[in-house]
Amino acid sequence: SGSLSWLPRPTTNFKSGNNLTLTVAPNTTSSGRTAYVHVQGRYTVSKPYEITQMPSYGVGNITADICWDAAGNTLKAYSKGRTYSFTFETDTALPDDMAMAVKCGSQSVTASTITHTSGNSYAFTLTVSDSDNSDEEEVVDIAITAGGATIGKFTVTRAYKPTFVSFNEEVWGGVKDRPELKKVIYRASEWDVDGFSSSNESLAVTKSSDEEITVSYAETLTYDATPQEATVTMSLKGGNSVTYTTKQSPVAFTVSNDDLSKLKNVVKEGADVAITVVTKAGISSAPWHVASASDSWLTTSPVIGGPETNASGSTLTVKFAANATGDRTGSFVLESRNTTSPTYEVSQKGAFSATVNSVTYNGKAAVLADNTLKAFSAAYDYTFTVTTNNAVESDRLSVVSKTDGTAVTIKTHPKGSALSTTHTFIITVPASTLTTEPESLFDIMADGNRIGGFTVKQAK
């Protein structure tokens, strides 16, 4: 019977054995209040039933010693477990005999008893365990109760369990063409992250965005580069850390000694020389291409600058154009995964011709006409001076007699290791014993190939 603003009378009738539901409005005042309920049936009124409502204690000024987000009414807990100290105030002090408690919505958070510090100020602690979930941040509801009723609420957000989600334990070659290899994905709550570091300045790390860092792997490497190794550390503000180890190494190139020898002293007419290229990135093979060559007369198949699609163990054909000049040298360089190979040296024999310029005997000029030495009847050693069109080492030249049974002999061959176009040798002509003028034919040779010749005609 009757009605109050905070306890309105039900407007429906009910039968014996049914429940009576009363709706109590919130108490926003600092004092308790009491009402009495009478139930009436067929002109009979029940005894009064007392309804008592507690006052509002107005919990406010909740704060923690660290990690407190006042705007969000949230403790942002570190991933490293620890105990946090809290204080709060009520609008009015609670009775000493009223039981107070902190209720936690997860076993990962436990609370101490509430301590009455002074007046309407109170304190307690929350112990948050180590984070154990790297997939999500756990949100835990916390309630402050008095006399079994909730008088205040806030939340605890437990940070991710920090971890490196994706990273490279070893990178083979440079990353110029593979910048995605620099990226490392991590999982950690941003309020928990203190920073990132590397044990090796050559593999320094920087934070590029939330949940991503960059490792400064070298853009390019040479085949003989020293492998670089580093321990990357994610430091957390709670005092814990997470690490992983990474390494960058060059690709290895192998060309057999037999194949390397085929690239030396290639014939002047030109040739195609096939060699086998083996590339290794750890225990795996790596594709390659020809990065460069020193000269236009040196070409390759696959072509220079072509795509890096040639498998380890495949063939490289080095093409030498015909050589109309002197001996020449060149080189080419391979590349695999932005790693350059050794410089592979090549050489090709030159094209030579020899011309007899002069002949002397005893320091005087001998008779030379139509590329023929007209020797005297007396015995002499004749010194020949010849010129080659391209510089060549004299040691590579020789003089060969083409006439059988001749008494004219070769005393010395050209000699010298320096490149030169002037060369000398000596021919011995004995005294004449015949009534004819016999002729002896000679070839001038370079590396076993004829490059010129001359005739010696003896006097009667």
Side-chain angles (χ1 to χ4, degrees), residues 145-176:
T145 65
T150 298
I151 62 173
K153 293 181 179 180
F154 65 95
T155 58
V156 173
T157 301
R158 203 161 57 129
Y160 290 115
K161 177 183 179 181
T163 184
F164 287 105
V165 178
S166 65
F167 56 88
N168 294 297
E169 293 184 351
E170 186 156 21
V171 170
W172 288 93
V175 297
K176 180 179 178 181

Side-chain angles (χ1 to χ4, degrees), residues 265 327 348-350 352 392-393 395-398 444-451:
N265 297 318
D327 290 352
Q348 187 178 16
K349 292 179 178 179
F352 302 106
V392 64
E393 300 94 329
D395 289 343
R396 291 171 57 187
L397 304 180
S398 62
I444 302 172
M445 313 291 286
D447 298 325
N449 299 310
R450 186 181 187 279
I451 62 171

Side-chain angles (χ1 to χ4, degrees), residues 359-367 376 380-383:
V359 183
T360 62
Y361 72 102
N362 288 344
K364 295 179 288 185
V367 179
F376 299 121
Y380 286 108
D381 286 343
Y382 293 88
T383 300

Side-chain angles (χ1 to χ4, degrees), residues 224-424:
D224 57 353
T226 301
Q228 299 293 328
E229 186 170 341
T231 297
V232 177
T233 301
M234 173 169 47
S235 299
L236 289 309
K237 292 179 180 178
N240 51 328
S241 62
V242 181
T243 65
Y244 77 93
T245 299
T246 187
K247 185 177 182 181
Q248 185 179 25
S249 304
V251 174
F253 297 83
T254 302
V255 177
S256 71
N257 289 333
D258 287 344
D259 278 353
L260 291 175
S261 66
K262 292 191 298 185
L263 298 172
K264 301 297 177 66
N265 297 318
V266 175
V267 295
K268 69 180 186 305
E269 291 79 9
D272 291 351
V273 179
I275 64 174
T276 300
V277 176
V278 175
T279 51
K280 286 292 184 181
I283 62 174
S284 303
S285 60
W288 57 271
H289 75 150
V290 183
S292 62
S294 59
D295 301 277
S296 60
W297 55 265
L298 190 66
T299 58
T300 64
S301 177
V303 298
I304 298 167
E308 194 173 280
T309 56
N310 308 293
S312 174
S314 56
T315 298
L316 169 65
T317 301
V318 184
K319 299 174 176 290
F320 293 78
N323 186 10
T325 64
D327 290 352
R328 59 188 180 187
T329 59
S331 63
F332 62 90
V333 175
L334 308 177
E335 185 178 32
S336 175
R337 292 183 178 175
N338 297 126
T339 302
T340 52
S341 72
T343 299
Y344 295 107
E345 305 288 345
V346 304
S347 61
Q348 187 178 16
K349 292 179 178 179
F352 302 106
S353 62
T355 303
V356 178
N357 284 345
S358 64
V359 183
T360 62
Y361 72 102
N362 288 344
K364 295 179 288 185
V367 179
L368 180 68
D370 297 328
N371 202 35
T372 299
L373 167 66
K374 295 185 176 181
F376 299 121
S377 57
Y380 286 108
D381 286 343
Y382 293 88
T383 300
F384 282 70
T385 300
V386 301
T387 299
T388 52
N389 64 327
N390 294 307
V392 64
E393 300 94 329
S394 295
D395 289 343
R396 291 171 57 187
L397 304 180
S398 62
V399 182
V400 177
S401 174
K402 295 178 64 179
T403 307
D404 294 334
T406 180
V408 180
T409 58
I410 303 161
K411 186 174 184 179
T412 65
H413 291 273
K415 187 170 182 61
S417 59
L419 287 172
S420 178
T421 57
T422 300
H423 315 273
T424 62

